[in-house]
Amino acid sequence: MTRLRNVKIVATLGPASNDYETIRALFEAGANVFRLNMSHGDHDEIRVRHEIIRKIEADTGRPIAILADLQGPKIRCGVFANESEELEIGDKFRFDLDDAPGDATRVKLPHKEIFDALKPGAHLLVNDGKISVRVEDCGADYANCVVEVGGTISNRKGVNVPDVILPVAALSDKDRTDLEFVCELGVDWLALSFVQRAEDVIEARELARGRAAILSKIEKPAAVEAFDSILYVSDGIMVARGDLGVECPVHSVPPIQKQLVRKCRAAAKPVIVATQMLESMIDSPVPTRAEVSDVATAIYEGTDGIMLSAESAAGDYPIEAVTTMVNVAISVENDATYREVIEASRTANRMSVSDGIVAAAREIAETSDVKAIACYTKSGTTALLTARERPRVPILVMTSQEKVARRLCLSWGTTCQVTETVDRFKTAVVNSVRAAISTGIAEQKDQIVITAGVPFNVSGTTNILRVAPCDETLIVSADNE
């Protein structure tokens, strides 16, 4: 199954997409990656969804990536005697550690570490930012605030603290349990919530022990500030615009998104743009024009992936939502302006032989009649470097590592093929030609570019390039040897 576009689609599974038929229909409609949201569903439900995806993978013969999204610590206020209260602009309101039910003047905030970090002038956002209060004075067990944006505050509403770096670990006890469970299950990517610093990512990486790649969710101002160091220790990035839009001024999110996408591409690490992309399709079969424009903008920026959340997990039209994303992607990528934008934003990285080889492969593909770039890779690095180039032809990834093929399903423009281990470049050429023809990427007498590293099966040794014809005699000759 060869996709007709380069950007990848991440579909979240949930009550609306919980059986073989629906999940397979999502895959056939265009989903490349399935997201398992650890905030919803117990381990038994997650295991069943994982098994269904792997069965579809076996039935279709195509690698599929599975992304487990860890919940992260949840900061919530306590309960109210009347279940809810109305706060008006200018009202005084206090958060404290008192167990007594809240009223119109105060409520418990059961997180002492927050009071330790707060300073006068800091803001607390309640209920996804619908209520905003500013700290006037604070101590070890209280924060006296003034209401700047009023509204209804009720039991156990979420609280965001955008102005300070909280001494809160990115991994809660639940996250640690979930991480071990999904790693043993065999997921390909771990999405890490509540990232504030590079150390949060390093901790998750140590716990994962190489069993899954680490995708850092950028959803806090502190993460934006520390982005370069977070990117360096991450395998990929998710621009989680929902929480980011709560904690940052909403008008600042589009430029942040653009900056992060470009930095990820320059680092040759996949990036997903997520949250509310087709929100109206939760209960509507068609999106709004603004949503279509939002999806298109992310694609024009060069993102590797675009994500559906509730649209595919709990909506009434999950298949239609995937189909809409596919259609927008095809339309954008066939626009001449898209190539102009993508090529104008290409960063020249010539720091190694591998960089030079993949750049040369892209240039050859753009200046001659070449149908694809086939790259042999053990670790996936060569494929990531090739994807960074954003070539005009498909990237055929040849790897003997099934987990590498699955992880690369998230990377721009890649069609992944699990192949036998090879020890000769001629065998690599023949296998690449076979795969290009069998996947429909190329036909007899077409040409493809093959890149590989000699000696084989050693990571980071990409040092050879060949333009080869898709010639049946080449295959027959190899078979007769």
Side-chain angles (χ1 to χ4, degrees):
M1 184 185 297
T2 304
R3 308 300 193 187
L4 299 175
R5 35 80 197 178
N6 294 304
V7 72
K8 300 304 178 67
I9 295 173
V10 183
T12 303
L13 300 184
S17 48
N18 209 26
D19 57 80
Y20 179 94
E21 289 73 19
T22 304
I23 298 173
R24 177 154 183 170
L26 288 170
F27 175 70
E28 292 179 346
N32 306 94
V33 182
F34 288 110
R35 172 176 172 254
L36 306 177
N37 188 352
M38 304 308 293
S39 298
H40 304 287
D42 58 29
H43 285 187
D44 287 339
E45 291 175 308
I46 297 297
R47 181 183 288 105
V48 168
R49 289 170 189 161
H50 183 277
E51 289 173 353
I52 290 173
I53 296 167
R54 290 297 179 231
K55 185 174 188 328
I56 293 169
E57 183 180 64
D59 290 348
T60 59
R62 303 296 303 155
I64 302 173
I66 301 178
L67 166 68
D69 196 334
L70 301 178
Q71 176 178 285
K74 293 298 180 184
I75 299 173
R76 300 184 184 278
C77 68
V79 300
F80 291 83
N82 297 324
E83 295 192 352
S84 67
E85 296 288 348
E86 289 295 323
L87 301 184
E88 303 288 341
I89 295 175
D91 286 352
K92 303 294 183 180
F93 195 79
R94 177 184 177 98
F95 291 96
D96 56 38
L97 293 175
D98 190 341
D99 289 330
D103 55 29
T105 64
R106 61 154 296 278
V107 74
K108 181 179 182 180
L109 184 61
H111 300 276
K112 186 180 186 306
E113 63 274 12
I114 291 180
F115 297 112
D116 293 337
L118 282 178
K119 296 178 180 179
H123 288 81
L124 299 174
L125 308 176
V126 184
N127 195 13
D128 290 334
K130 294 182 175 64
I131 297 173
S132 176
V133 303
R134 176 173 45 81
V135 177
E136 291 191 319
D137 70 276
C138 53
D141 59 357
Y142 74 93
N144 292 324
C145 308
V146 61
V147 177
E148 293 188 336
V149 178
T152 302
I153 184 171
S154 57
N155 295 343
R156 301 184 182 89
K157 287 301 181 185
V159 179
N160 294 78
V161 190
D163 299 333
V164 296
I165 297 178
L166 296 177
V168 178
L171 294 171
S172 65
D173 290 342
K174 169 180 163 54
D175 293 326
R176 292 170 183 273
T177 301
D178 288 345
L179 184 152
E180 184 61 28
F181 169 72
V182 296
C183 282
E184 284 300 300
L185 205 56
V187 302
D188 308 297
W189 287 90
L190 280 172
L192 185 62
S193 301
F194 212 86
V195 173
Q196 298 184 95
R197 55 183 82 79
E199 289 77 9
D200 296 330
V201 187
I202 293 170
E203 180 186 7
R205 184 177 296 284
E206 290 173 350
L207 293 172
R209 302 195 307 277
R211 292 172 292 175
I214 306 297
L215 189 85
S216 296
K217 295 168 66 175
I218 306 302
E219 52 192 359
K220 299 183 72 63
V224 176
E225 289 292 322
F227 182 72
D228 290 347
S229 61
I230 290 171
L231 177 61
Y232 182 76
V233 296
S234 302
D235 298 305
I237 295 292
M238 180 189 294
V239 186
R241 304 179 305 174
D243 284 321
L244 197 58
V246 170
E247 299 209 5
C248 296
V250 67
H251 56 266
S252 70
V253 175
I256 289 173
Q257 173 180 313
K258 190 177 294 290
Q259 292 161 18
L260 301 192
V261 169
R262 287 206 174 187
K263 286 187 175 184
C264 289
R265 181 180 167 193
K269 295 185 178 182
V271 56
I272 300 169
V273 174
T275 318
Q276 297 178 325
M277 301 212 81
L278 295 175
E279 187 86 354
S280 69
M281 290 194 75
I282 293 173
D283 50 23
S284 171
V286 294
T288 67
R289 292 173 181 81
E291 288 168 338
V292 170
S293 180
D294 180 43
V295 173
T297 296
I299 299 170
Y300 276 113
E301 289 169 354
T303 186
D304 291 81
I306 45 182
M307 192 175 97
L308 294 167
S309 298
E311 302 96 327
S312 58
D316 294 331
Y317 304 96
I319 311 303
E320 290 84 351
V322 171
T323 302
T324 296
M325 279 192 159
V326 169
N327 290 338
V328 174
I330 292 173
S331 179
V332 169
E333 292 179 8
N334 284 327
D335 176 20
T337 305
Y338 172 74
R339 290 310 317 179
E340 293 174 6
V341 172
I342 289 297
E343 290 169 12
S345 61
R346 181 180 293 129
T347 303
N349 291 282
R350 304 290 184 269
M351 300 178 65
S352 68
V353 172
S354 297
D355 291 327
I357 290 289
V358 298
R362 189 258 309 160
E363 290 173 2
I364 290 170
E366 291 179 357
T367 56
S368 59
D369 188 21
V370 167
K371 297 300 182 183
I373 298 172
C375 53
Y376 258 83
T377 182
K378 179 179 175 62
S379 66
T381 301
T382 305
L384 292 172
L385 294 176
T386 305
R388 179 179 66 190
E389 294 290 317
R390 299 295 192 262
R392 298 189 180 198
V393 298
I395 303 167
L396 180 59
V397 179
M398 305 291 291
T399 180
S400 60
Q401 307 295 311
E402 188 174 51
K403 69 177 183 179
V404 170
R406 289 170 172 167
R407 290 179 187 179
L408 288 170
C409 289
L410 181 54
S411 295
W412 186 97
T414 56
T415 297
C416 302
Q417 188 91 2
V418 180
T419 184
E420 63 185 358
T421 300
V422 300
D423 55 11
R424 292 196 307 157
F425 185 61
K426 181 176 182 180
T427 308
V429 171
V430 172
N431 287 354
S432 298
V433 168
R434 274 202 184 100
I437 294 173
S438 67
T439 57
I441 288 175
E443 298 178 353
Q444 290 286 337
K445 304 304 181 183
D446 285 335
Q447 295 186 110
I448 63 171
V449 173
I450 299 108
T451 64
V454 177
F456 275 93
N457 306 312
V458 177
S459 298
T461 59
T462 302
N463 56 14
I464 191 167
L465 180 154
R466 177 180 170 183
V467 179
C470 295
D471 193 335
E472 186 67 32
T473 59
L474 181 70
I475 298 175
V476 171
S477 173
D479 289 340
N480 290 335
E481 285 186 1

